[in-house]
Amino acid sequence: MKTLVLMRHAKSSWDSPGLADHDRPLNERGREDAPRMGRRLMERGIEPAVIITSTAERARSTAALVAGELGIPTERIVADERLYAASVDTMLRVIRSLDDRLECAMLVGHNPEMTDLATRFSRTIEAMPTAAIAVFSLEAASWADVRPAMSAGPPAAPPAAVAFDAPDRTHEREW
């Protein structure tokens, strides 16, 4: 069984119009929401062995804030340029290339790709707002075998469990 955690970066700032998209930082709400979501993961006992993040500043900051709440050392955060402006197929290639010794992995990226990928794993997720997290328990022995249910090829088994949370949702004890 593998656990895949997808997270859209927290809310970013638009205060500097001349700043390149890649360099936009988190705004105040984003700096509050990212650690909040990290605490929610911790409350549920979800600790990724690795956090793979887009190289964009807002995604890297989100990953660092979540990791800080989970007590994950910075060397377990990997910035991967493939996740910036990535297609769903590219994100799936990143997932499928993960080391099989990892039982739980987290990707931090952008919309619309995060929503597109999450909805391919489960139709119960309609959108990934900023700082949203989707957790999928997958019946796969190898990351190379991970396929969303909505994909070409042999039918994929649906996730054994799906959990979704976002900062603006009423925080419930059970996902």
Side-chain angles (χ1 to χ4, degrees), residues 115-127 134-136 148-150 158-159 161-163:
T115 293
D116 291 347
L117 182 57
T119 59
R120 288 193 193 184
F121 278 106
S122 175
R123 290 180 189 236
T124 63
I125 297 172
E126 296 177 4
V135 181
F136 303 96
M150 313 284 282
V162 177

mmCIF file with all atom_site columns, all heavy atoms in Angstrom, residues 115-127 134-136 148-150 158-159 161-163:
data_model
loop_
_atom_site.group_PDB
_atom_site.id
_atom_site.type_symbol
_atom_site.label_atom_id
_atom_site.label_alt_id
_atom_site.label_comp_id
_atom_site.label_asym_id
_atom_site.label_entity_id
_atom_site.label_seq_id
_atom_site.pdbx_PDB_ins_code
_atom_site.Cartn_x
_atom_site.Cartn_y
_atom_site.Cartn_z
_atom_site.occupancy
_atom_site.B_iso_or_equiv
_atom_site.pdbx_formal_charge
_atom_site.auth_seq_id
_atom_site.auth_comp_id
_atom_site.auth_asym_id
_atom_site.auth_atom_id
_atom_site.pdbx_PDB_model_num
ATOM 1   N N   . THR A 1 115 ? -5.749  19.950 -9.269  1.00 0.00 ? 115 THR A N   1
ATOM 2   C CA  . THR A 1 115 ? -7.160  19.549 -9.322  1.00 0.00 ? 115 THR A CA  1
ATOM 3   C C   . THR A 1 115 ? -7.349  18.464 -10.369 1.00 0.00 ? 115 THR A C   1
ATOM 4   O O   . THR A 1 115 ? -8.037  17.465 -10.118 1.00 0.00 ? 115 THR A O   1
ATOM 5   C CB  . THR A 1 115 ? -8.066  20.763 -9.622  1.00 0.00 ? 115 THR A CB  1
ATOM 6   O OG1 . THR A 1 115 ? -8.018  21.653 -8.506  1.00 0.00 ? 115 THR A OG1 1
ATOM 7   C CG2 . THR A 1 115 ? -9.509  20.333 -9.870  1.00 0.00 ? 115 THR A CG2 1
ATOM 8   N N   . ASP A 1 116 ? -6.734  18.633 -11.533 1.00 0.00 ? 116 ASP A N   1
ATOM 9   C CA  . ASP A 1 116 ? -6.870  17.625 -12.592 1.00 0.00 ? 116 ASP A CA  1
ATOM 10  C C   . ASP A 1 116 ? -6.388  16.253 -12.123 1.00 0.00 ? 116 ASP A C   1
ATOM 11  O O   . ASP A 1 116 ? -7.048  15.242 -12.352 1.00 0.00 ? 116 ASP A O   1
ATOM 12  C CB  . ASP A 1 116 ? -6.099  18.042 -13.843 1.00 0.00 ? 116 ASP A CB  1
ATOM 13  C CG  . ASP A 1 116 ? -6.706  19.237 -14.550 1.00 0.00 ? 116 ASP A CG  1
ATOM 14  O OD1 . ASP A 1 116 ? -7.855  19.597 -14.234 1.00 0.00 ? 116 ASP A OD1 1
ATOM 15  O OD2 . ASP A 1 116 ? -6.020  19.816 -15.414 1.00 0.00 ? 116 ASP A OD2 1
ATOM 16  N N   . LEU A 1 117 ? -5.241  16.219 -11.458 1.00 0.00 ? 117 LEU A N   1
ATOM 17  C CA  . LEU A 1 117 ? -4.704  14.938 -10.992 1.00 0.00 ? 117 LEU A CA  1
ATOM 18  C C   . LEU A 1 117 ? -5.581  14.357 -9.881  1.00 0.00 ? 117 LEU A C   1
ATOM 19  O O   . LEU A 1 117 ? -5.922  13.173 -9.913  1.00 0.00 ? 117 LEU A O   1
ATOM 20  C CB  . LEU A 1 117 ? -3.262  15.116 -10.503 1.00 0.00 ? 117 LEU A CB  1
ATOM 21  C CG  . LEU A 1 117 ? -2.560  13.838 -10.041 1.00 0.00 ? 117 LEU A CG  1
ATOM 22  C CD1 . LEU A 1 117 ? -2.544  12.777 -11.130 1.00 0.00 ? 117 LEU A CD1 1
ATOM 23  C CD2 . LEU A 1 117 ? -1.146  14.160 -9.567  1.00 0.00 ? 117 LEU A CD2 1
ATOM 24  N N   . ALA A 1 118 ? -5.963  15.167 -8.912  1.00 0.00 ? 118 ALA A N   1
ATOM 25  C CA  . ALA A 1 118 ? -6.786  14.676 -7.801  1.00 0.00 ? 118 ALA A CA  1
ATOM 26  C C   . ALA A 1 118 ? -8.115  14.109 -8.298  1.00 0.00 ? 118 ALA A C   1
ATOM 27  O O   . ALA A 1 118 ? -8.550  13.049 -7.841  1.00 0.00 ? 118 ALA A O   1
ATOM 28  C CB  . ALA A 1 118 ? -7.026  15.791 -6.789  1.00 0.00 ? 118 ALA A CB  1
ATOM 29  N N   . THR A 1 119 ? -8.744  14.789 -9.249  1.00 0.00 ? 119 THR A N   1
ATOM 30  C CA  . THR A 1 119 ? -10.042 14.304 -9.749  1.00 0.00 ? 119 THR A CA  1
ATOM 31  C C   . THR A 1 119 ? -9.892  13.042 -10.585 1.00 0.00 ? 119 THR A C   1
ATOM 32  O O   . THR A 1 119 ? -10.845 12.289 -10.718 1.00 0.00 ? 119 THR A O   1
ATOM 33  C CB  . THR A 1 119 ? -10.781 15.385 -10.555 1.00 0.00 ? 119 THR A CB  1
ATOM 34  O OG1 . THR A 1 119 ? -9.974  15.790 -11.655 1.00 0.00 ? 119 THR A OG1 1
ATOM 35  C CG2 . THR A 1 119 ? -11.119 16.586 -9.685  1.00 0.00 ? 119 THR A CG2 1
ATOM 36  N N   . ARG A 1 120 ? -8.713  12.804 -11.117 1.00 0.00 ? 120 ARG A N   1
ATOM 37  C CA  . ARG A 1 120 ? -8.502  11.540 -11.832 1.00 0.00 ? 120 ARG A CA  1
ATOM 38  C C   . ARG A 1 120 ? -8.385  10.366 -10.872 1.00 0.00 ? 120 ARG A C   1
ATOM 39  O O   . ARG A 1 120 ? -8.698  9.244  -11.222 1.00 0.00 ? 120 ARG A O   1
ATOM 40  C CB  . ARG A 1 120 ? -7.268  11.614 -12.718 1.00 0.00 ? 120 ARG A CB  1
ATOM 41  C CG  . ARG A 1 120 ? -7.503  12.497 -13.918 1.00 0.00 ? 120 ARG A CG  1
ATOM 42  C CD  . ARG A 1 120 ? -6.436  12.334 -14.939 1.00 0.00 ? 120 ARG A CD  1
ATOM 43  N NE  . ARG A 1 120 ? -6.503  13.389 -15.933 1.00 0.00 ? 120 ARG A NE  1
ATOM 44  C CZ  . ARG A 1 120 ? -5.720  13.439 -16.982 1.00 0.00 ? 120 ARG A CZ  1
ATOM 45  N NH1 . ARG A 1 120 ? -4.799  12.525 -17.166 1.00 0.00 ? 120 ARG A NH1 1
ATOM 46  N NH2 . ARG A 1 120 ? -5.829  14.423 -17.841 1.00 0.00 ? 120 ARG A NH2 1
ATOM 47  N N   . PHE A 1 121 ? -7.913  10.628 -9.655  1.00 0.00 ? 121 PHE A N   1
ATOM 48  C CA  . PHE A 1 121 ? -7.851  9.578  -8.649  1.00 0.00 ? 121 PHE A CA  1
ATOM 49  C C   . PHE A 1 121 ? -9.203  9.360  -7.989  1.00 0.00 ? 121 PHE A C   1
ATOM 50  O O   . PHE A 1 121 ? -9.524  8.244  -7.588  1.00 0.00 ? 121 PHE A O   1
ATOM 51  C CB  . PHE A 1 121 ? -6.794  9.893  -7.581  1.00 0.00 ? 121 PHE A CB  1
ATOM 52  C CG  . PHE A 1 121 ? -5.397  9.533  -7.989  1.00 0.00 ? 121 PHE A CG  1
ATOM 53  C CD1 . PHE A 1 121 ? -4.498  10.515 -8.331  1.00 0.00 ? 121 PHE A CD1 1
ATOM 54  C CD2 . PHE A 1 121 ? -4.982  8.208  -8.043  1.00 0.00 ? 121 PHE A CD2 1
ATOM 55  C CE1 . PHE A 1 121 ? -3.204  10.192 -8.710  1.00 0.00 ? 121 PHE A CE1 1
ATOM 56  C CE2 . PHE A 1 121 ? -3.701  7.868  -8.416  1.00 0.00 ? 121 PHE A CE2 1
ATOM 57  C CZ  . PHE A 1 121 ? -2.797  8.864  -8.750  1.00 0.00 ? 121 PHE A CZ  1
ATOM 58  N N   . SER A 1 122 ? -9.996  10.420 -7.839  1.00 0.00 ? 122 SER A N   1
ATOM 59  C CA  . SER A 1 122 ? -11.286 10.285 -7.172  1.00 0.00 ? 122 SER A CA  1
ATOM 60  C C   . SER A 1 122 ? -12.247 11.380 -7.622  1.00 0.00 ? 122 SER A C   1
ATOM 61  O O   . SER A 1 122 ? -11.914 12.560 -7.545  1.00 0.00 ? 122 SER A O   1
ATOM 62  C CB  . SER A 1 122 ? -11.108 10.371 -5.652  1.00 0.00 ? 122 SER A CB  1
ATOM 63  O OG  . SER A 1 122 ? -12.366 10.358 -5.024  1.00 0.00 ? 122 SER A OG  1
ATOM 64  N N   . ARG A 1 123 ? -13.418 10.975 -7.998  1.00 0.00 ? 123 ARG A N   1
ATOM 65  C CA  . ARG A 1 123 ? -14.449 11.943 -8.399  1.00 0.00 ? 123 ARG A CA  1
ATOM 66  C C   . ARG A 1 123 ? -15.053 12.668 -7.201  1.00 0.00 ? 123 ARG A C   1
ATOM 67  O O   . ARG A 1 123 ? -15.818 13.609 -7.364  1.00 0.00 ? 123 ARG A O   1
ATOM 68  C CB  . ARG A 1 123 ? -15.550 11.245 -9.178  1.00 0.00 ? 123 ARG A CB  1
ATOM 69  C CG  . ARG A 1 123 ? -15.098 10.788 -10.538 1.00 0.00 ? 123 ARG A CG  1
ATOM 70  C CD  . ARG A 1 123 ? -16.247 10.109 -11.258 1.00 0.00 ? 123 ARG A CD  1
ATOM 71  N NE  . ARG A 1 123 ? -15.756 9.483  -12.464 1.00 0.00 ? 123 ARG A NE  1
ATOM 72  C CZ  . ARG A 1 123 ? -16.229 9.734  -13.661 1.00 0.00 ? 123 ARG A CZ  1
ATOM 73  N NH1 . ARG A 1 123 ? -17.223 10.585 -13.796 1.00 0.00 ? 123 ARG A NH1 1
ATOM 74  N NH2 . ARG A 1 123 ? -15.745 9.137  -14.710 1.00 0.00 ? 123 ARG A NH2 1
ATOM 75  N N   . THR A 1 124 ? -14.720 12.238 -5.997  1.00 0.00 ? 124 THR A N   1
ATOM 76  C CA  . THR A 1 124 ? -15.258 12.915 -4.811  1.00 0.00 ? 124 THR A CA  1
ATOM 77  C C   . THR A 1 124 ? -14.589 14.267 -4.597  1.00 0.00 ? 124 THR A C   1
ATOM 78  O O   . THR A 1 124 ? -15.098 15.082 -3.841  1.00 0.00 ? 124 THR A O   1
ATOM 79  C CB  . THR A 1 124 ? -15.080 12.060 -3.539  1.00 0.00 ? 124 THR A CB  1
ATOM 80  O OG1 . THR A 1 124 ? -13.688 11.868 -3.291  1.00 0.00 ? 124 THR A OG1 1
ATOM 81  C CG2 . THR A 1 124 ? -15.780 10.719 -3.683  1.00 0.00 ? 124 THR A CG2 1
ATOM 82  N N   . ILE A 1 125 ? -13.453 14.498 -5.233  1.00 0.00 ? 125 ILE A N   1
ATOM 83  C CA  . ILE A 1 125 ? -12.757 15.781 -5.118  1.00 0.00 ? 125 ILE A CA  1
ATOM 84  C C   . ILE A 1 125 ? -13.105 16.602 -6.346  1.00 0.00 ? 125 ILE A C   1
ATOM 85  O O   . ILE A 1 125 ? -12.844 16.188 -7.472  1.00 0.00 ? 125 ILE A O   1
ATOM 86  C CB  . ILE A 1 125 ? -11.237 15.573 -4.999  1.00 0.00 ? 125 ILE A CB  1
ATOM 87  C CG1 . ILE A 1 125 ? -10.932 14.795 -3.726  1.00 0.00 ? 125 ILE A CG1 1
ATOM 88  C CG2 . ILE A 1 125 ? -10.505 16.916 -5.023  1.00 0.00 ? 125 ILE A CG2 1
ATOM 89  C CD1 . ILE A 1 125 ? -9.507  14.374 -3.584  1.00 0.00 ? 125 ILE A CD1 1
ATOM 90  N N   . GLU A 1 126 ? -13.700 17.763 -6.112  1.00 0.00 ? 126 GLU A N   1
ATOM 91  C CA  . GLU A 1 126 ? -14.117 18.609 -7.225  1.00 0.00 ? 126 GLU A CA  1
ATOM 92  C C   . GLU A 1 126 ? -13.125 19.711 -7.532  1.00 0.00 ? 126 GLU A C   1
ATOM 93  O O   . GLU A 1 126 ? -13.041 20.163 -8.669  1.00 0.00 ? 126 GLU A O   1
ATOM 94  C CB  . GLU A 1 126 ? -15.492 19.209 -6.918  1.00 0.00 ? 126 GLU A CB  1
ATOM 95  C CG  . GLU A 1 126 ? -16.576 18.159 -6.809  1.00 0.00 ? 126 GLU A CG  1
ATOM 96  C CD  . GLU A 1 126 ? -17.916 18.747 -6.432  1.00 0.00 ? 126 GLU A CD  1
ATOM 97  O OE1 . GLU A 1 126 ? -18.027 19.985 -6.316  1.00 0.00 ? 126 GLU A OE1 1
ATOM 98  O OE2 . GLU A 1 126 ? -18.859 17.973 -6.248  1.00 0.00 ? 126 GLU A OE2 1
ATOM 99  N N   . ALA A 1 127 ? -12.400 20.185 -6.522  1.00 0.00 ? 127 ALA A N   1
ATOM 100 C CA  . ALA A 1 127 ? -11.455 21.287 -6.721  1.00 0.00 ? 127 ALA A CA  1
ATOM 101 C C   . ALA A 1 127 ? -10.410 21.247 -5.619  1.00 0.00 ? 127 ALA A C   1
ATOM 102 O O   . ALA A 1 127 ? -10.666 20.742 -4.525  1.00 0.00 ? 127 ALA A O   1
ATOM 103 C CB  . ALA A 1 127 ? -12.177 22.627 -6.698  1.00 0.00 ? 127 ALA A CB  1
ATOM 104 N N   . ALA A 1 134 ? -5.166  16.457 -0.595  1.00 0.00 ? 134 ALA A N   1
ATOM 105 C CA  . ALA A 1 134 ? -5.886  15.230 -0.907  1.00 0.00 ? 134 ALA A CA  1
ATOM 106 C C   . ALA A 1 134 ? -4.948  14.070 -0.605  1.00 0.00 ? 134 ALA A C   1
ATOM 107 O O   . ALA A 1 134 ? -3.783  14.082 -1.011  1.00 0.00 ? 134 ALA A O   1
ATOM 108 C CB  . ALA A 1 134 ? -6.308  15.202 -2.376  1.00 0.00 ? 134 ALA A CB  1
ATOM 109 N N   . VAL A 1 135 ? -5.438  13.091 0.141   1.00 0.00 ? 135 VAL A N   1
ATOM 110 C CA  . VAL A 1 135 ? -4.640  11.936 0.540   1.00 0.00 ? 135 VAL A CA  1
ATOM 111 C C   . VAL A 1 135 ? -5.281  10.692 -0.055  1.00 0.00 ? 135 VAL A C   1
ATOM 112 O O   . VAL A 1 135 ? -6.472  10.443 0.153   1.00 0.00 ? 135 VAL A O   1
ATOM 113 C CB  . VAL A 1 135 ? -4.559  11.812 2.077   1.00 0.00 ? 135 VAL A CB  1
ATOM 114 C CG1 . VAL A 1 135 ? -3.692  10.615 2.473   1.00 0.00 ? 135 VAL A CG1 1
ATOM 115 C CG2 . VAL A 1 135 ? -4.027  13.096 2.705   1.00 0.00 ? 135 VAL A CG2 1
ATOM 116 N N   . PHE A 1 136 ? -4.471  9.921  -0.762  1.00 0.00 ? 136 PHE A N   1
ATOM 117 C CA  . PHE A 1 136 ? -4.955  8.703  -1.416  1.00 0.00 ? 136 PHE A CA  1
ATOM 118 C C   . PHE A 1 136 ? -4.174  7.500  -0.894  1.00 0.00 ? 136 PHE A C   1
ATOM 119 O O   . PHE A 1 136 ? -2.952  7.473  -0.984  1.00 0.00 ? 136 PHE A O   1
ATOM 120 C CB  . PHE A 1 136 ? -4.768  8.793  -2.934  1.00 0.00 ? 136 PHE A CB  1
ATOM 121 C CG  . PHE A 1 136 ? -5.455  9.980  -3.545  1.00 0.00 ? 136 PHE A CG  1
ATOM 122 C CD1 . PHE A 1 136 ? -4.756  11.154 -3.777  1.00 0.00 ? 136 PHE A CD1 1
ATOM 123 C CD2 . PHE A 1 136 ? -6.792  9.927  -3.868  1.00 0.00 ? 136 PHE A CD2 1
ATOM 124 C CE1 . PHE A 1 136 ? -5.376  12.260 -4.326  1.00 0.00 ? 136 PHE A CE1 1
ATOM 125 C CE2 . PHE A 1 136 ? -7.434  11.030 -4.413  1.00 0.00 ? 136 PHE A CE2 1
ATOM 126 C CZ  . PHE A 1 136 ? -6.733  12.197 -4.644  1.00 0.00 ? 136 PHE A CZ  1
ATOM 127 N N   . PRO A 1 148 ? -4.153  6.630  -11.910 1.00 0.00 ? 148 PRO A N   1
ATOM 128 C CA  . PRO A 1 148 ? -5.483  7.078  -11.485 1.00 0.00 ? 148 PRO A CA  1
ATOM 129 C C   . PRO A 1 148 ? -6.555  6.227  -12.135 1.00 0.00 ? 148 PRO A C   1
ATOM 130 O O   . PRO A 1 148 ? -6.322  5.606  -13.179 1.00 0.00 ? 148 PRO A O   1
ATOM 131 C CB  . PRO A 1 148 ? -5.545  8.529  -11.959 1.00 0.00 ? 148 PRO A CB  1
ATOM 132 C CG  . PRO A 1 148 ? -4.494  8.662  -12.994 1.00 0.00 ? 148 PRO A CG  1
ATOM 133 C CD  . PRO A 1 148 ? -3.469  7.601  -12.737 1.00 0.00 ? 148 PRO A CD  1
ATOM 134 N N   . ALA A 1 149 ? -7.703  6.162  -11.504 1.00 0.00 ? 149 ALA A N   1
ATOM 135 C CA  . ALA A 1 149 ? -8.814  5.375  -12.037 1.00 0.00 ? 149 ALA A CA  1
ATOM 136 C C   . ALA A 1 149 ? -9.233  5.872  -13.413 1.00 0.00 ? 149 ALA A C   1
ATOM 137 O O   . ALA A 1 149 ? -9.667  5.104  -14.251 1.00 0.00 ? 149 ALA A O   1
ATOM 138 C CB  . ALA A 1 149 ? -9.989  5.412  -11.070 1.00 0.00 ? 149 ALA A CB  1
ATOM 139 N N   . MET A 1 150 ? -9.068  7.172  -13.655 1.00 0.00 ? 150 MET A N   1
ATOM 140 C CA  . MET A 1 150 ? -9.472  7.769  -14.930 1.00 0.00 ? 150 MET A CA  1
ATOM 141 C C   . MET A 1 150 ? -8.242  7.871  -15.829 1.00 0.00 ? 150 MET A C   1
ATOM 142 O O   . MET A 1 150 ? -7.735  8.949  -16.076 1.00 0.00 ? 150 MET A O   1
ATOM 143 C CB  . MET A 1 150 ? -10.057 9.151  -14.691 1.00 0.00 ? 150 MET A CB  1
ATOM 144 C CG  . MET A 1 150 ? -11.071 9.225  -13.575 1.00 0.00 ? 150 MET A CG  1
ATOM 145 S SD  . MET A 1 150 ? -12.627 8.547  -14.047 1.00 0.00 ? 150 MET A SD  1
ATOM 146 C CE  . MET A 1 150 ? -13.241 9.879  -15.013 1.00 0.00 ? 150 MET A CE  1
ATOM 147 N N   . PRO A 1 158 ? -9.658  1.596  -7.673  1.00 0.00 ? 158 PRO A N   1
ATOM 148 C CA  . PRO A 1 158 ? -9.858  2.896  -7.012  1.00 0.00 ? 158 PRO A CA  1
ATOM 149 C C   . PRO A 1 158 ? -9.028  2.932  -5.728  1.00 0.00 ? 158 PRO A C   1
ATOM 150 O O   . PRO A 1 158 ? -8.688  1.886  -5.169  1.00 0.00 ? 158 PRO A O   1
ATOM 151 C CB  . PRO A 1 158 ? -11.351 2.922  -6.712  1.00 0.00 ? 158 PRO A CB  1
ATOM 152 C CG  . PRO A 1 158 ? -11.784 1.504  -6.721  1.00 0.00 ? 158 PRO A CG  1
ATOM 153 C CD  . PRO A 1 158 ? -10.858 0.780  -7.657  1.00 0.00 ? 158 PRO A CD  1
ATOM 154 N N   . PRO A 1 159 ? -8.703  4.119  -5.250  1.00 0.00 ? 159 PRO A N   1
ATOM 155 C CA  . PRO A 1 159 ? -7.967  4.202  -3.992  1.00 0.00 ? 159 PRO A CA  1
ATOM 156 C C   . PRO A 1 159 ? -8.728  3.485  -2.876  1.00 0.00 ? 159 PRO A C   1
ATOM 157 O O   . PRO A 1 159 ? -9.960  3.514  -2.838  1.00 0.00 ? 159 PRO A O   1
ATOM 158 C CB  . PRO A 1 159 ? -7.880  5.706  -3.714  1.00 0.00 ? 159 PRO A CB  1
ATOM 159 C CG  . PRO A 1 159 ? -8.101  6.356  -5.033  1.00 0.00 ? 159 PRO A CG  1
ATOM 160 C CD  . PRO A 1 159 ? -8.992  5.440  -5.805  1.00 0.00 ? 159 PRO A CD  1
ATOM 161 N N   . ALA A 1 161 ? -8.697  4.376  0.117   1.00 0.00 ? 161 ALA A N   1
ATOM 162 C CA  . ALA A 1 161 ? -9.261  5.450  0.929   1.00 0.00 ? 161 ALA A CA  1
ATOM 163 C C   . ALA A 1 161 ? -8.874  6.787  0.323   1.00 0.00 ? 161 ALA A C   1
ATOM 164 O O   . ALA A 1 161 ? -7.802  6.915  -0.279  1.00 0.00 ? 161 ALA A O   1
ATOM 165 C CB  . ALA A 1 161 ? -8.757  5.358  2.367   1.00 0.00 ? 161 ALA A CB  1
ATOM 166 N N   . VAL A 1 162 ? -9.775  7.756  0.446   1.00 0.00 ? 162 VAL A N   1
ATOM 167 C CA  . VAL A 1 162 ? -9.543  9.116  -0.048  1.00 0.00 ? 162 VAL A CA  1
ATOM 168 C C   . VAL A 1 162 ? -9.908  10.074 1.076   1.00 0.00 ? 162 VAL A C   1
ATOM 169 O O   . VAL A 1 162 ? -10.954 9.933  1.699   1.00 0.00 ? 162 VAL A O   1
ATOM 170 C CB  . VAL A 1 162 ? -10.416 9.433  -1.285  1.00 0.00 ? 162 VAL A CB  1
ATOM 171 C CG1 . VAL A 1 162 ? -10.219 10.874 -1.740  1.00 0.00 ? 162 VAL A CG1 1
ATOM 172 C CG2 . VAL A 1 162 ? -10.136 8.451  -2.414  1.00 0.00 ? 162 VAL A CG2 1
ATOM 173 N N   . ALA A 1 163 ? -9.023  11.033 1.320   1.00 0.00 ? 163 ALA A N   1
ATOM 174 C CA  . ALA A 1 163 ? -9.308  12.065 2.314   1.00 0.00 ? 163 ALA A CA  1
ATOM 175 C C   . ALA A 1 163 ? -9.019  13.419 1.688   1.00 0.00 ? 163 ALA A C   1
ATOM 176 O O   . ALA A 1 163 ? -8.107  13.554 0.872   1.00 0.00 ? 163 ALA A O   1
ATOM 177 C CB  . ALA A 1 163 ? -8.439  11.855 3.555   1.00 0.00 ? 163 ALA A CB  1
#
